[in-house]
Amino acid sequence: MKWIDAHCHVGQGIMNGLDADKLLADMDRLEIEQAVILPWDRAIAVDNEEGNMFTLELAAKYPDRLISFCTVNPWFGYRALEEIDRCVALGTKGLKLHPPYQGFQISDPFVLPIIEKALTYSLPIYIPTGTPVAAMPMQLAYVADLYPEGTFIQGHFGFPDFWIDSIPSVEHRPNIYVDIAYNAISTIEHAVKTLGAERVLFSSDAPYLSLDNEIDKLLSLSITEEERQLIGRDNMKAILEGGRR
Amino acid sequence: MIIDFHTHFNGGVYSEKSDAEHFISVMGKNGIEKSLLLPFDGFFSDFREDNDLVSEIVGRYPERFAGLGTIDPRQGETALREIDRCLDETNLIGFKFHSWLQAFGPLDVDFMRLAEEGNRRKALFFFHDGTPPYSEPFQLAELAKRFPDLTIVLGHAGLPDLWHESMLSALKYDNVWLCFCGTPFWGMKEMTERMNGERIVWGSDYPAAKEQDILERIKQVKYLPCSDNMKEKILYSNAVELLRKYEKNNPVVGGSR
């Protein structure tokens, strides 16, 4: 087994969510050792507890294969903070926020307590970018500047509309990683060249994207095998073990 | 075989100057029989000059390329005349608009005048779509409703955030076509099912997308959980159908007319 998928979805959703048995079978077939799992769309938007329990139970059942990241909608206020406490106690390894689904802008003031709570537990924070007006690379950069001690993952690397901002938003911010889902091979190769392979993570966003295609893409990158290993596994392994590289 | 329905001849600051022979060799490596050339420099400079350039390339290799022009809708009579000039006097078979980069709203009065003339000529209008504020699929669907003789191709089928709007537009209006290009897997899967594989074409966005990206974008279609017949329609025969409708003087692909 070679790879770690930094971000995919399980459960039954309208636009995402994947049967866990199918995910595990696909992981076996594609040599993916571990996957970070998030719940389906509705559970991200509103039914956070239900979704988080679902991923935590799967992670408990398959501790060597599946890793739970929790999600909370910042609009739930103190209940969102409590939900992070609860998930950490049950073994979650990170936090995902989804600005378009959850209806906020990354830099909104009421989001900051959520970020701070996650950082008290040293949880890495995954936030997709690329969707105006809610999820833009420079908004994440603003928040990352407030918390230099944090580990942020700029999901989707600004795809599709923010290809101009994606590099400037992260190049002087070592606390932001980027992932390769959605992006073209040439864009990823450019990111590796500009930022270094240490800052780039493999993620599939399956089943919204095809896991087969995203692995195919990882294998098709014109980079060294050492760089492929960093992107495909080692960087995320280090993040999950609690240390930034 | 494959028809690439979304390419550019020259890519502004995003690529080297295009060279037709190199372009054809790249197509050959990827099993692409014919490419629809869209302009790029013409979005920002003298569109007539750029239209003539694309037309000249099509004229040199009519079996390998078809081409679209572009127009700045704010140029009044000059803009309107360019529709007729391109369709009557050049090898171009329609027009590409990148309303976001060209900084106009598709429902602007200036653009509506162009769309009206395009409708009169039963023209092919190809749009960048999926990007607010000027390239929202429903803005383009409104044009499809008002101008039913216009064929409107949504050049990215909505991208990750707005593919649902693009799908609803195509389901509602028969004169809307979808081009899979940067469209997410889940969206392509649902659109293919709901459209029964009809009115969908595929494009690479080369050379804005680089040479190494073309095969990956072909694979995105090949990995779809649909029949080989559907994939063949998306990658080839739907495009043949559309090209046959618009190519008057050029040889069309896919056998005899």
Side-chain angles (χ1 to χ4, degrees):
Chain A
M1 292 291 177
K2 289 180 174 173
W3 314 119
I4 297 177
D5 184 345
H7 178 236
C8 65
H9 295 269
V10 289
Q12 288 286 317
I14 294 171
M15 287 200 290
N16 59 31
L18 185 61
D19 178 74
D21 290 337
K22 174 163 174 19
L23 174 62
L24 287 162
D26 287 347
M27 288 167 63
D28 288 343
R29 183 168 54 80
L30 298 167
E31 297 191 274
I32 299 170
E33 181 185 345
Q34 292 181 302
V36 171
I37 52 171
L38 272 300
W40 58 101
D41 37 26
R42 177 176 51 79
I44 292 172
V46 286
D47 293 329
N48 299 159
E49 278 187 42
E50 182 189 342
N52 291 334
M53 278 316 294
F54 192 86
T55 61
L56 286 161
E57 282 169 11
L58 278 172
K61 190 171 171 189
Y62 303 102
D64 298 332
R65 308 299 303 282
L66 302 180
I67 297 152
S68 160
F69 269 30
C70 68
T71 188
V72 296
N73 188 325
W75 284 104
F76 285 128
Y78 74 91
R79 283 178 289 164
L81 297 173
E82 287 175 359
E83 178 63 6
I84 294 175
D85 290 331
R86 191 181 73 89
C87 290
V88 169
L90 293 172
T92 204
K93 299 291 184 209
L95 172 71
K96 174 184 176 167
L97 299 176
H98 198 308
Y101 278 14
Q102 296 174 331
F104 66 87
Q105 293 171 358
I106 300 170
S107 45
D108 275 337
F110 69 91
V111 179
L112 300 184
I114 307 292
I115 305 271
E116 287 166 10
K117 170 65 86 174
L119 295 184
T120 61
Y121 293 115
S122 301
L123 297 181
I125 301 173
Y126 183 100
I127 304 184
T129 59
T131 305
V133 296
M136 300 189 277
M138 294 316 301
Q139 293 172 333
L140 178 58
Y142 175 87
V143 171
D145 283 347
L146 294 177
Y147 305 105
E149 73 280 20
T151 298
F152 297 91
I153 302 169
Q154 186 205 63
H156 312 175
F157 197 40
F159 185 84
D161 298 335
F162 294 90
W163 77 91
I164 296 167
D165 297 356
S166 53
I167 294 277
S169 68
V170 299
E171 64 182 345
H172 301 304
R173 295 184 174 88
N175 56 342
I176 309 181
Y177 290 77
V178 302
D179 79 354
I180 74 168
Y182 297 88
N183 283 281
I185 285 173
S186 59
T187 310
I188 302 162
E189 290 168 353
H190 181 63
V192 172
K193 206 172 286 174
T194 314
L195 304 170
E198 300 75 19
R199 302 277 299 282
V200 182
L201 304 173
F202 165 69
S203 86
S204 73
D205 206 10
Y208 203 66
L209 298 181
S210 155
L211 190 56
D212 286 85
N213 192 65
E214 295 307 301
I215 282 285
D216 198 330
K217 220 165 75 177
L218 175 67
L219 299 176
S220 302
L221 295 170
S222 291
I223 54 178
T224 67
E225 288 314 306
E226 190 189 13
E227 288 169 328
R228 202 182 321 277
Q229 189 65 30
L230 287 171
I231 295 168
R233 182 178 186 277
D234 294 350
N235 293 337
M236 195 60 192
K237 189 91 182 157
I239 290 172
L240 291 168
E241 286 170 356
R244 295 225 314 270
R245 294 183 66 82
Chain B
M1 285 303 272
I2 293 170
I3 294 177
D4 189 341
F5 219 78
H6 190 150
T7 69
H8 296 273
F9 199 77
N10 293 331
V13 297
Y14 301 112
S15 70
E16 306 281 316
K17 282 270 173 215
S18 292
D19 169 82
E21 288 71 28
H22 177 68
F23 206 122
I24 288 169
S25 79
V26 170
M27 288 161 60
K29 283 183 213 160
N30 290 288
I32 294 169
E33 183 179 344
K34 191 163 195 171
S35 292
L36 181 66
L37 297 177
L38 314 177
F40 193 93
D41 292 342
F43 298 154
F44 313 106
S45 58
D46 184 339
F47 53 84
R48 283 167 301 191
E49 190 181 305
D50 200 45
N51 293 345
D52 286 340
L53 171 68
V54 175
S55 172
E56 190 257 322
I57 302 298
V58 172
R60 263 164 55 199
Y61 300 101
E63 294 178 2
R64 307 306 303 274
F65 295 123
L68 304 183
T70 195
I71 300 171
D72 175 358
R74 294 199 178 82
Q75 300 297 320
E77 281 302 310
T78 307
L80 282 176
R81 279 202 306 274
E82 185 66 0
I83 291 192
D84 295 327
R85 188 186 79 87
C86 286
L87 295 181
D88 297 335
E89 298 170 25
T90 74
N91 299 308
L92 303 174
I93 61 167
F95 302 89
K96 156 77 187 250
F97 298 100
H98 199 310
S99 37
W100 168 40
L101 290 183
Q102 290 176 287
F104 67 87
L107 302 176
D108 249 355
V109 273
D110 288 337
F111 190 75
M112 294 276 254
R113 267 198 292 273
L114 276 193
E116 194 175 356
E117 178 63 8
N119 191 59
R120 193 182 69 75
R121 296 294 309 255
K122 297 183 167 42
L124 174 69
F125 275 21
F126 184 115
F127 290 89
H128 170 90
D129 79 312
T131 307
Y134 287 157
S135 300
E136 184 205 0
F138 280 170
Q139 293 167 333
L140 304 168
E142 183 65 16
L143 292 176
K145 177 188 175 185
R146 293 180 187 216
F147 303 109
D149 290 331
L150 209 53
T151 295
I152 289 179
V153 181
L154 305 183
H156 292 285
L159 293 171
D161 293 317
L162 291 174
W163 63 264
H164 213 252
E165 273 196 22
S166 293
M167 180 181 73
L168 294 174
S169 302
L171 287 169
K172 192 167 176 185
Y173 301 111
D174 290 345
N175 54 334
V176 173
W177 286 61
L178 304 170
C179 182
F180 286 170
C181 180
T183 321
F185 171 79
W186 192 282
M188 291 193 287
K189 179 166 74 88
E190 193 165 331
M191 283 186 255
T192 303
E193 286 165 9
R194 301 272 303 267
M195 301 285 291
N196 198 27
E198 303 293 337
R199 281 187 283 128
I200 299 171
V201 293
W202 168 86
S204 69
D205 216 354
Y206 176 76
K210 307 294 176 223
E211 203 172 318
Q212 63 264 46
D213 301 324
I214 299 172
L215 182 60
E216 192 267 318
R217 289 196 156 164
I218 294 169
K219 284 180 185 170
Q220 289 184 15
V221 174
K222 297 205 161 161
Y223 281 123
L224 287 176
C226 63
S227 68
D228 288 347
N229 178 45
M230 292 266 194
K231 291 174 194 174
E232 191 274 340
K233 282 163 79 167
I234 292 165
L235 289 171
Y236 188 69
S237 52
N238 287 344
V240 170
E241 181 190 336
L242 206 47
L243 288 176
R244 276 187 183 160
K245 190 172 166 191
Y246 289 100
E247 286 188 314
K248 298 180 297 288
N249 305 315
N250 300 335
V252 290
V253 289
S256 58
R257 293 182 194 216

